[in-house]
mmCIF file of all heavy atoms in Angstrom:
data_model
loop_
_atom_site.group_PDB
_atom_site.id
_atom_site.type_symbol
_atom_site.label_atom_id
_atom_site.label_comp_id
_atom_site.label_asym_id
_atom_site.label_seq_id
_atom_site.Cartn_x
_atom_site.Cartn_y
_atom_site.Cartn_z
ATOM 1 N N HIS A 56 17.204 -43.423 -19.405
ATOM 2 C CA HIS A 56 16.487 -43.493 -18.118
ATOM 3 C C HIS A 56 17.410 -43.635 -16.973
ATOM 4 O O HIS A 56 17.238 -42.960 -15.952
ATOM 5 C CB HIS A 56 15.453 -44.669 -18.178
ATOM 6 C CG HIS A 56 14.493 -44.751 -17.082
ATOM 7 N ND1 HIS A 56 13.816 -43.618 -16.592
ATOM 8 C CD2 HIS A 56 14.075 -45.781 -16.326
ATOM 9 C CE1 HIS A 56 13.042 -44.007 -15.543
ATOM 10 N NE2 HIS A 56 13.176 -45.294 -15.417
ATOM 11 N N ASP A 59 18.803 -40.285 -16.235
ATOM 12 C CA ASP A 59 17.848 -39.429 -15.588
ATOM 13 C C ASP A 59 17.835 -39.732 -14.095
ATOM 14 O O ASP A 59 17.780 -38.833 -13.243
ATOM 15 C CB ASP A 59 16.448 -39.622 -16.147
ATOM 16 C CG ASP A 59 16.306 -39.120 -17.579
ATOM 17 O OD1 ASP A 59 17.179 -38.361 -18.051
ATOM 18 O OD2 ASP A 59 15.323 -39.502 -18.227
ATOM 19 N N LEU A 60 17.844 -41.017 -13.756
ATOM 20 C CA LEU A 60 17.786 -41.459 -12.350
ATOM 21 C C LEU A 60 19.067 -41.041 -11.619
ATOM 22 O O LEU A 60 19.015 -40.747 -10.420
ATOM 23 C CB LEU A 60 17.528 -42.943 -12.220
ATOM 24 C CG LEU A 60 16.199 -43.452 -12.779
ATOM 25 C CD1 LEU A 60 16.064 -44.935 -12.540
ATOM 26 C CD2 LEU A 60 15.031 -42.689 -12.133
ATOM 27 N N ARG A 62 20.797 -38.315 -12.420
ATOM 28 C CA ARG A 62 20.701 -36.807 -12.327
ATOM 29 C C ARG A 62 19.698 -36.430 -11.220
ATOM 30 O O ARG A 62 19.964 -35.538 -10.408
ATOM 31 C CB ARG A 62 20.247 -36.224 -13.649
ATOM 32 C CG ARG A 62 20.007 -34.743 -13.566
ATOM 33 C CD ARG A 62 19.625 -34.104 -14.859
ATOM 34 N NE ARG A 62 19.207 -32.722 -14.673
ATOM 35 C CZ ARG A 62 18.617 -31.977 -15.605
ATOM 36 N NH1 ARG A 62 18.378 -32.502 -16.775
ATOM 37 N NH2 ARG A 62 18.300 -30.756 -15.317
ATOM 38 N N PHE A 63 18.550 -37.095 -11.223
ATOM 39 C CA PHE A 63 17.471 -36.781 -10.265
ATOM 40 C C PHE A 63 17.521 -37.816 -9.129
ATOM 41 O O PHE A 63 16.793 -38.808 -9.157
ATOM 42 C CB PHE A 63 16.122 -36.698 -10.919
ATOM 43 C CG PHE A 63 16.076 -35.727 -12.069
ATOM 44 C CD1 PHE A 63 15.863 -36.129 -13.360
ATOM 45 C CD2 PHE A 63 16.253 -34.396 -11.830
ATOM 46 C CE1 PHE A 63 15.760 -35.264 -14.370
ATOM 47 C CE2 PHE A 63 16.231 -33.441 -12.850
ATOM 48 C CZ PHE A 63 15.960 -33.864 -14.191
ATOM 49 N N THR A 64 18.411 -37.634 -8.191
ATOM 50 C CA THR A 64 18.687 -38.678 -7.224
ATOM 51 C C THR A 64 17.448 -39.032 -6.327
ATOM 52 O O THR A 64 17.264 -40.192 -6.033
ATOM 53 C CB THR A 64 19.838 -38.221 -6.306
ATOM 54 O OG1 THR A 64 19.538 -36.966 -5.673
ATOM 55 C CG2 THR A 64 21.138 -38.138 -7.103
ATOM 56 N N GLN A 65 16.659 -38.048 -5.991
ATOM 57 C CA GLN A 65 15.530 -38.356 -5.168
ATOM 58 C C GLN A 65 14.516 -39.241 -5.888
ATOM 59 O O GLN A 65 13.860 -40.122 -5.289
ATOM 60 C CB GLN A 65 14.778 -37.078 -4.743
ATOM 61 C CG GLN A 65 15.656 -36.262 -3.749
ATOM 62 C CD GLN A 65 14.831 -35.050 -3.300
ATOM 63 O OE1 GLN A 65 13.731 -35.156 -2.778
ATOM 64 N NE2 GLN A 65 15.448 -33.889 -3.522
ATOM 65 N N ILE A 66 14.416 -39.044 -7.163
ATOM 66 C CA ILE A 66 13.503 -39.844 -8.004
ATOM 67 C C ILE A 66 14.018 -41.279 -8.109
ATOM 68 O O ILE A 66 13.291 -42.244 -7.987
ATOM 69 C CB ILE A 66 13.312 -39.218 -9.385
ATOM 70 C CG1 ILE A 66 12.940 -37.729 -9.230
ATOM 71 C CG2 ILE A 66 12.367 -40.017 -10.273
ATOM 72 C CD1 ILE A 66 11.739 -37.191 -9.660
ATOM 73 N N GLY A 67 15.286 -41.389 -8.300
ATOM 74 C CA GLY A 67 15.959 -42.712 -8.336
ATOM 75 C C GLY A 67 15.805 -43.433 -7.019
ATOM 76 O O GLY A 67 15.498 -44.652 -6.954
ATOM 77 N N ASP A 68 15.968 -42.685 -5.944
ATOM 78 C CA ASP A 68 15.787 -43.271 -4.589
ATOM 79 C C ASP A 68 14.353 -43.759 -4.391
ATOM 80 O O ASP A 68 14.118 -44.832 -3.875
ATOM 81 C CB ASP A 68 16.117 -42.245 -3.472
ATOM 82 C CG ASP A 68 17.622 -41.940 -3.420
ATOM 83 O OD1 ASP A 68 18.444 -42.717 -3.970
ATOM 84 O OD2 ASP A 68 17.956 -40.911 -2.753
ATOM 85 N N ALA A 69 13.368 -42.960 -4.852
ATOM 86 C CA ALA A 69 11.973 -43.320 -4.743
ATOM 87 C C ALA A 69 11.655 -44.634 -5.484
ATOM 88 O O ALA A 69 10.909 -45.482 -4.981
ATOM 89 C CB ALA A 69 11.075 -42.215 -5.216
ATOM 90 N N LEU A 70 12.282 -44.818 -6.651
ATOM 91 C CA LEU A 70 12.083 -46.045 -7.406
ATOM 92 C C LEU A 70 12.704 -47.248 -6.653
ATOM 93 O O LEU A 70 12.040 -48.270 -6.480
ATOM 94 C CB LEU A 70 12.698 -45.898 -8.842
ATOM 95 C CG LEU A 70 12.525 -47.072 -9.757
ATOM 96 C CD1 LEU A 70 11.005 -47.321 -10.050
ATOM 97 C CD2 LEU A 70 13.225 -46.818 -11.028
ATOM 98 N N ARG A 71 13.928 -47.054 -6.205
ATOM 99 C CA ARG A 71 14.619 -48.179 -5.529
ATOM 100 C C ARG A 71 13.922 -48.539 -4.205
ATOM 101 O O ARG A 71 13.964 -49.657 -3.736
ATOM 102 C CB ARG A 71 16.120 -47.828 -5.308
ATOM 103 C CG ARG A 71 16.939 -47.938 -6.566
ATOM 104 C CD ARG A 71 18.374 -47.683 -6.300
ATOM 105 N NE ARG A 71 18.628 -46.325 -5.758
ATOM 106 C CZ ARG A 71 18.758 -45.279 -6.513
ATOM 107 N NH1 ARG A 71 18.655 -45.342 -7.855
ATOM 108 N NH2 ARG A 71 18.979 -44.100 -5.988
ATOM 109 N N ASP A 72 13.346 -47.501 -3.563
ATOM 110 C CA ASP A 72 12.663 -47.737 -2.312
ATOM 111 C C ASP A 72 11.215 -48.216 -2.437
ATOM 112 O O ASP A 72 10.527 -48.478 -1.462
ATOM 113 C CB ASP A 72 12.689 -46.485 -1.473
ATOM 114 C CG ASP A 72 14.076 -46.028 -1.027
ATOM 115 O OD1 ASP A 72 14.995 -46.921 -1.054
ATOM 116 O OD2 ASP A 72 14.250 -44.868 -0.668
ATOM 117 N N ALA A 75 7.741 -45.174 -5.721
ATOM 118 C CA ALA A 75 7.214 -44.729 -7.021
ATOM 119 C C ALA A 75 7.481 -45.873 -8.023
ATOM 120 O O ALA A 75 8.530 -46.538 -7.937
ATOM 121 C CB ALA A 75 7.969 -43.513 -7.554
ATOM 122 N N ASN A 76 6.615 -46.034 -8.985
ATOM 123 C CA ASN A 76 6.847 -47.089 -9.970
ATOM 124 C C ASN A 76 7.577 -46.451 -11.169
ATOM 125 O O ASN A 76 7.758 -45.235 -11.273
ATOM 126 C CB ASN A 76 5.544 -47.840 -10.423
ATOM 127 C CG ASN A 76 4.576 -46.917 -11.110
ATOM 128 O OD1 ASN A 76 4.938 -46.187 -12.076
ATOM 129 N ND2 ASN A 76 3.311 -46.953 -10.741
ATOM 130 N N ASP A 77 8.079 -47.308 -12.070
ATOM 131 C CA ASP A 77 8.927 -46.880 -13.194
ATOM 132 C C ASP A 77 8.180 -45.891 -14.086
ATOM 133 O O ASP A 77 8.822 -44.863 -14.505
ATOM 134 C CB ASP A 77 9.355 -48.080 -13.988
ATOM 135 C CG ASP A 77 10.646 -47.809 -14.768
ATOM 136 O OD1 ASP A 77 11.497 -47.075 -14.281
ATOM 137 O OD2 ASP A 77 10.735 -48.312 -15.911
ATOM 138 N N GLN A 79 5.765 -43.767 -13.198
ATOM 139 C CA GLN A 79 5.687 -42.496 -12.451
ATOM 140 C C GLN A 79 7.000 -41.721 -12.559
ATOM 141 O O GLN A 79 7.043 -40.555 -12.821
ATOM 142 C CB GLN A 79 5.360 -42.735 -11.023
ATOM 143 C CG GLN A 79 3.936 -43.178 -10.738
ATOM 144 C CD GLN A 79 3.719 -43.525 -9.315
ATOM 145 O OE1 GLN A 79 4.463 -44.303 -8.703
ATOM 146 N NE2 GLN A 79 2.691 -42.936 -8.705
ATOM 147 N N VAL A 80 8.077 -42.459 -12.351
ATOM 148 C CA VAL A 80 9.435 -41.840 -12.397
ATOM 149 C C VAL A 80 9.712 -41.296 -13.790
ATOM 150 O O VAL A 80 10.266 -40.191 -13.898
ATOM 151 C CB VAL A 80 10.492 -42.930 -11.962
ATOM 152 C CG1 VAL A 80 11.834 -42.484 -12.311
ATOM 153 C CG2 VAL A 80 10.336 -43.211 -10.492
ATOM 154 N N GLN A 81 9.378 -42.001 -14.801
ATOM 155 C CA GLN A 81 9.592 -41.513 -16.173
ATOM 156 C C GLN A 81 8.769 -40.264 -16.450
ATOM 157 O O GLN A 81 9.263 -39.328 -17.071
ATOM 158 C CB GLN A 81 9.228 -42.583 -17.189
ATOM 159 C CG GLN A 81 10.214 -43.724 -17.230
ATOM 160 C CD GLN A 81 9.867 -44.844 -18.209
ATOM 161 O OE1 GLN A 81 8.807 -44.844 -18.790
ATOM 162 N NE2 GLN A 81 10.689 -45.833 -18.273
ATOM 163 N N ILE A 83 7.708 -38.019 -14.340
ATOM 164 C CA ILE A 83 8.292 -36.889 -13.602
ATOM 165 C C ILE A 83 9.596 -36.448 -14.257
ATOM 166 O O ILE A 83 9.811 -35.274 -14.468
ATOM 167 C CB ILE A 83 8.497 -37.262 -12.125
ATOM 168 C CG1 ILE A 83 7.188 -37.590 -11.424
ATOM 169 C CG2 ILE A 83 9.338 -36.179 -11.407
ATOM 170 C CD1 ILE A 83 7.351 -38.188 -10.109
ATOM 171 N N SER A 84 10.462 -37.395 -14.518
ATOM 172 C CA SER A 84 11.802 -37.011 -15.058
ATOM 173 C C SER A 84 11.719 -36.333 -16.413
ATOM 174 O O SER A 84 12.499 -35.440 -16.739
ATOM 175 C CB SER A 84 12.766 -38.197 -15.052
ATOM 176 O OG SER A 84 12.332 -39.176 -15.903
ATOM 177 N N LEU A 87 11.051 -32.778 -15.530
ATOM 178 C CA LEU A 87 12.186 -32.163 -14.777
ATOM 179 C C LEU A 87 13.356 -31.926 -15.676
ATOM 180 O O LEU A 87 14.126 -31.011 -15.438
ATOM 181 C CB LEU A 87 12.578 -33.027 -13.584
ATOM 182 C CG LEU A 87 11.572 -33.089 -12.411
ATOM 183 C CD1 LEU A 87 12.067 -34.027 -11.306
ATOM 184 C CD2 LEU A 87 11.190 -31.752 -11.876
ATOM 185 N N ALA A 102 11.786 -29.466 -6.090
ATOM 186 C CA ALA A 102 10.897 -29.902 -7.132
ATOM 187 C C ALA A 102 10.832 -31.416 -7.102
ATOM 188 O O ALA A 102 9.740 -32.040 -7.187
ATOM 189 C CB ALA A 102 11.309 -29.423 -8.486
ATOM 190 N N GLN A 103 12.007 -32.070 -6.976
ATOM 191 C CA GLN A 103 12.015 -33.525 -6.901
ATOM 192 C C GLN A 103 11.255 -34.023 -5.712
ATOM 193 O O GLN A 103 10.453 -34.933 -5.783
ATOM 194 C CB GLN A 103 13.446 -34.019 -6.847
ATOM 195 C CG GLN A 103 14.218 -33.907 -8.127
ATOM 196 C CD GLN A 103 15.591 -34.554 -7.971
ATOM 197 O OE1 GLN A 103 15.718 -35.751 -7.738
ATOM 198 N NE2 GLN A 103 16.620 -33.754 -8.130
ATOM 199 N N ALA A 104 11.530 -33.440 -4.595
ATOM 200 C CA ALA A 104 10.822 -33.827 -3.331
ATOM 201 C C ALA A 104 9.345 -33.669 -3.403
ATOM 202 O O ALA A 104 8.586 -34.546 -2.985
ATOM 203 C CB ALA A 104 11.425 -33.057 -2.132
ATOM 204 N N MET A 106 7.462 -33.797 -6.153
ATOM 205 C CA MET A 106 6.904 -34.768 -7.051
ATOM 206 C C MET A 106 6.920 -36.179 -6.440
ATOM 207 O O MET A 106 5.999 -36.900 -6.584
ATOM 208 C CB MET A 106 7.581 -34.698 -8.398
ATOM 209 C CG MET A 106 7.404 -33.405 -9.122
ATOM 210 S SD MET A 106 5.683 -32.812 -9.221
ATOM 211 C CE MET A 106 4.884 -34.172 -10.075
ATOM 212 N N VAL A 107 8.007 -36.476 -5.726
ATOM 213 C CA VAL A 107 8.078 -37.779 -5.077
ATOM 214 C C VAL A 107 6.954 -37.879 -4.076
ATOM 215 O O VAL A 107 6.320 -38.908 -3.876
ATOM 216 C CB VAL A 107 9.491 -38.006 -4.437
ATOM 217 C CG1 VAL A 107 9.443 -39.200 -3.472
ATOM 218 C CG2 VAL A 107 10.516 -38.255 -5.477
ATOM 219 N N CYS A 110 3.708 -39.211 -5.415
ATOM 220 C CA CYS A 110 3.654 -40.576 -6.017
ATOM 221 C C CYS A 110 2.682 -41.501 -5.344
ATOM 222 O O CYS A 110 2.187 -42.431 -5.988
ATOM 223 C CB CYS A 110 5.074 -41.171 -6.055
ATOM 224 S SG CYS A 110 6.107 -40.388 -7.292
ATOM 225 N N SER A 122 3.668 -32.289 -12.927
ATOM 226 C CA SER A 122 5.021 -31.911 -13.244
ATOM 227 C C SER A 122 5.062 -30.718 -14.156
ATOM 228 O O SER A 122 5.873 -29.814 -13.974
ATOM 229 C CB SER A 122 5.800 -33.079 -13.868
ATOM 230 O OG SER A 122 5.949 -34.151 -12.930
#
Side-chain angles (χ1 to χ4, degrees):
H56 188 44
D59 293 344
L60 296 180
R62 175 179 172 192
F63 303 117
T64 56
Q65 291 182 58
I66 308 243
D68 290 344
L70 183 63
R71 285 184 298 278
D72 294 341
N76 66 48
D77 204 36
Q79 289 175 308
V80 166
Q81 287 176 358
I83 295 168
S84 64
L87 291 181
Q103 287 185 63
M106 296 312 300
V107 167
C110 287
S122 295

